[in-house]
Amino acid sequence: MQVRAAVAADYPLPATGRVKSVRGSVVDVSFSGRLPDIDQMLRAGTEQDVVLEVAAYLNENDVRCIAFHSTEGLERGAPVSDSGDCLSVPVGDAVLGRMINVFGEAIDGKAPLQGVATRPLHREPLKLSQRSVASEVFETGIKIIDLLAPLERGGKAGLFGGAGVGKTVVITELIHNMVGHYRGVSVFCGIGERCREAEELYRTMDEADVLKDSVLIFGQMNEPPGVRFRVGHAALSVAEYFRDETRRDVLLLIDNIFRFIQAGSEVSGLMGRIPSRVGYQPTLATELAELEERISNSAGGSMTSIQAVYVPADDFTDPAAAHVFGHLSASIVLSRKRASQGFYPAVDPLASRSKMLNASVVGERHYAIATEVRRVLAEYDELQDIIAMLGLEELSENDRATVNRARRLERFLTQPFATTEHFTGRKGQLVGLQDTLDGCERILADEFADTPEQRLYMIGAIAEVER
């Protein structure tokens, strides 16, 4: 920012140029004087209605830009003006309950946002000296997550899964629970979302009465790759304001971080860069780090991020999934097999991990129960082939007891969601951590060995079985 200020002092007048070439979403602009900074916003066309962002310098006179609008009708020689700064987004209480795009324009059919403070999209992450380093658990009210993959307050958690296994459903439930439990602010960032999904999410949140404490920011699937590539940065600027200025707990939900990487790959290809492994952009690691490193706790507030991660062809060795893994403190893997068996949320208890599941963080009791639950479920998984070939009767008495506990644990760790009440007809349940631990402990102690396992399916606390 100091360099930008120094340049502005030397050249007080904004730069002006002409369109040199247009290739899809890539526009080359020629300037006769000084060149604008990288990430600077330009406006092109006779009406100045096409927003560009400077992406690279070609030579001493030309820059290559990414267009944030359709370039249809933009011709060679069209005037281009330098705005003098990068793209900014509105922040503050005025954006609560609103749905906006990457330009800060309202897209919810309500009155436009006017006279609202703004923040630039591109900001430096907090310095290490300004960050809070305390390890605290962020309770979600979802049993299987709080027990086996507890989230970190101020950390980053990934929701991994293929198409149709319930990533968006889990995210909307987390928004519902965040507002009810923490009284914080939820910032939802939709990257490459379908317009149907955006409309459904907005309506669901409005009906659940959580919209008033939320901000929805969308870069939709039909928009240029530059918009989808920068909407995540816009959401971060909004979230940083609530964390730093109002000192509130912020839940940042990103759906889907893979589409951010995909948009970056499109931009890279349009820029003419040579692709890297599996066709991804050579700058994948850097671009992802620029986004992820801005998510952190400050001394006064927290920013917890939960990111849906589409895994191409369910291949966890894909470079996109592998790079995202490196930034996360918790990985929640959604399983297609569990979804097909009717276990919702379809979290895979053996593949999901969290660095917070440590006795020094969650306590000895939680750690011991979670470890025993995972051991029982792992043994049951190993016995599945034997049961399929020989039947349950051929197992030893100890193995039959393990199967009995595992099947009851699997059903107890399912849960009805408030955001799916109109589909299932079941009232949503937010279950406290202690209730979850009590239930699992009693199942492991065989208190419900004679209870029909179906009575443990889709309930909240274990007390419901006794009632």
Side-chain angles (χ1 to χ4, degrees), residues 127-435:
K127 296 177 182 176
L128 288 176
S129 58
Q130 298 173 314
R131 300 188 183 202
S132 169
V133 293
S135 291
E136 296 178 50
V137 172
F138 178 85
E139 276 193 45
T140 65
I142 299 174
K143 289 184 286 190
I144 194 166
I145 294 176
D146 288 342
L147 176 70
L148 298 175
L151 306 187
E152 180 184 10
R153 186 171 178 266
K156 296 179 272 284
L159 271 174
F160 289 83
V165 293
K167 296 185 297 295
T168 304
V169 171
V170 173
I171 278 181
T172 51
E173 185 69 8
L174 287 166
I175 292 174
H176 179 272
N177 294 355
M178 172 69 177
V179 174
H181 189 68
Y182 282 89
R183 301 296 174 191
V185 174
S186 296
V187 178
F188 181 91
C189 175
I191 304 176
E193 288 285 277
R194 302 168 184 87
C195 60
R196 171 187 60 79
E197 294 172 329
E199 189 273 334
E200 284 178 0
L201 177 69
Y202 181 86
R203 186 157 31 85
T204 300
M205 291 176 65
D206 195 22
E207 290 169 357
D209 198 31
V210 298
L211 192 61
K212 62 181 183 297
D213 293 299
S214 308
V215 185
L216 285 73
I217 304 175
F218 285 96
Q220 291 172 213
M221 189 175 276
N222 64 322
E223 296 190 79
V227 170
R228 288 178 273 124
F229 189 53
R230 288 303 182 210
V231 70
H233 295 271
L236 275 164
S237 293
V238 174
E240 285 169 344
Y241 171 86
F242 287 110
R243 180 196 65 190
D244 300 336
E245 302 300 326
T246 66
R247 296 181 176 272
R248 297 170 75 175
D249 289 329
V250 181
L251 180 63
L252 174 65
L253 300 121
I254 301 176
D255 188 5
N256 188 302
I257 197 70
F258 174 77
R259 293 201 187 107
F260 165 78
I261 294 169
Q262 205 172 36
S265 180
E266 289 180 54
V267 168
S268 180
L270 290 166
M271 295 286 293
R273 297 179 185 137
I274 298 171
S276 182
R277 185 178 159 216
V278 199
Y280 286 107
Q281 64 270 41
T283 52
L284 189 158
T286 308
E287 291 167 359
L288 188 62
E290 283 178 354
L291 189 80
E292 298 281 7
E293 288 303 302
R294 289 172 65 180
I295 302 168
S296 64
N297 280 357
S298 66
S302 71
M303 189 196 301
T304 305
S305 175
I306 299 169
Q307 307 166 10
V309 186
Y310 168 70
V311 181
D314 291 345
D315 177 15
F316 284 89
T317 64
D318 186 89
H323 276 90
V324 173
F325 261 122
H327 291 276
L328 305 176
S329 55
S331 302
I332 300 163
V333 179
L334 299 180
S335 158
R336 197 176 303 282
K337 178 183 175 184
R338 288 183 67 80
S340 67
Q341 292 171 332
F343 296 135
Y344 294 105
V347 176
D348 188 328
L350 302 179
S352 301
R353 289 284 183 273
S354 171
K355 72 173 189 179
M356 300 297 285
L357 192 58
N358 185 302
S360 61
V361 177
V362 298
E364 292 288 349
R365 180 176 179 241
H366 183 164
Y367 179 73
I369 292 171
T371 304
E372 182 63 13
V373 166
R374 189 167 273 153
R375 184 193 67 78
V376 169
L377 293 175
E379 284 188 16
Y380 177 49
D381 193 54
E382 290 171 4
L383 293 168
Q384 294 277 26
D385 289 340
I386 299 173
I387 295 168
M389 289 186 292
L390 303 175
L392 195 62
E393 297 75 18
E394 297 300 317
L395 297 180
S396 67
E397 190 175 335
N398 283 341
D399 285 346
R400 281 202 299 272
T402 297
V403 170
N404 190 306
R405 292 182 200 119
R407 289 180 65 86
R408 280 156 179 76
L409 283 169
E410 281 185 331
R411 281 149 183 80
F412 176 65
L413 292 175
T414 60
Q415 187 172 343
F417 282 175
T419 51
T420 58
E421 280 182 28
H422 55 294
F423 292 122
T424 63
R426 298 174 185 264
K427 184 173 174 56
Q429 300 274 7
L430 190 153
V431 184
L433 177 59
Q434 291 308 313
D435 288 333

Side-chain angles (χ1 to χ4, degrees), residues 95-140:
V95 298
L96 290 174
R98 303 302 302 271
M99 183 160 61
I100 60 176
N101 60 16
V102 72
F103 307 107
E105 299 165 346
I107 54 173
D108 53 8
K110 298 179 182 176
L113 293 163
Q114 294 179 336
V116 180
T118 61
R119 276 198 171 191
L121 262 63
H122 301 280
R123 293 170 55 84
E124 291 294 321
L126 282 179
K127 296 177 182 176
L128 288 176
S129 58
Q130 298 173 314
R131 300 188 183 202
S132 169
V133 293
S135 291
E136 296 178 50
V137 172
F138 178 85
E139 276 193 45
T140 65

Side-chain angles (χ1 to χ4, degrees), residues 433-455:
L433 177 59
Q434 291 308 313
D435 288 333
T436 301
L437 295 177
D438 290 343
C440 291
E441 193 172 46
R442 293 176 66 184
I443 292 170
L444 290 169
D446 288 334
E447 284 190 37
F448 298 93
D450 298 325
T451 303
E453 58 188 39
Q454 200 61 22
R455 286 179 59 188

